């Protein structure tokens, strides 16, 4: 079980939120390789397995540039 993020820039912070705006997890990706990847084990900051639902993923580079993606989890 897990989610792989592909084609990430060398440095990016990934924040995963519920559709209600609650922060679920933060991943700091730091890789010397542009277009790297990172894995999320679908566990919250409180070590709880996430439930089915819609999640918003925010990718933010150190220069402030941001992009968003929606993620749906079905169990």
């Amino acid at each position: 079980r897990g989610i792989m993020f592909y084609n990430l820039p060398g440095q990016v912070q990934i924040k995963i939120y519920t559709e209600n705006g609650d922060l679920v997890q933060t991943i700091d990706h730091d890789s010397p390789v542009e277009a790297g990847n990172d894995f999320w084990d679908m566990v919250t900051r409180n070590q709880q397995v996430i439930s089915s639902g819609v999640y918003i993923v925010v990718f933010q580079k150190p220069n402030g540039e941001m992009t968003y993606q929606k993620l749906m989890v079905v169990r």
Side-chain angles (χ1 to χ4, degrees), residues 13-31:
Q13 185 176 61
I14 305 167
K15 289 188 176 184
I16 299 123
Y17 296 90
T18 64
E19 62 183 333
N20 295 327
D22 298 320
L23 181 63
V24 174
Q25 184 62 276
T26 300
I27 301 168
D28 290 314
H29 175 76
D30 188 7
S31 171

Side-chain angles (χ1 to χ4, degrees), residues 1-5 14-18 23-27 37-45 48-51 55-57 71 73 75:
R1 140 187 111 216
I3 295 171
M4 185 68 82
F5 298 104
I14 305 167
K15 289 188 176 184
I16 299 123
Y17 296 90
T18 64
L23 181 63
V24 174
Q25 184 62 276
T26 300
I27 301 168
N37 54 42
D38 216 322
F39 180 79
W40 178 41
D41 59 4
M42 298 172 67
V43 173
T44 69
R45 298 179 301 156
Q48 300 288 321
V49 176
I50 64 170
S51 58
Y55 294 86
I56 311 302
V57 183
L71 173 70
V73 175
R75 296 198 180 259

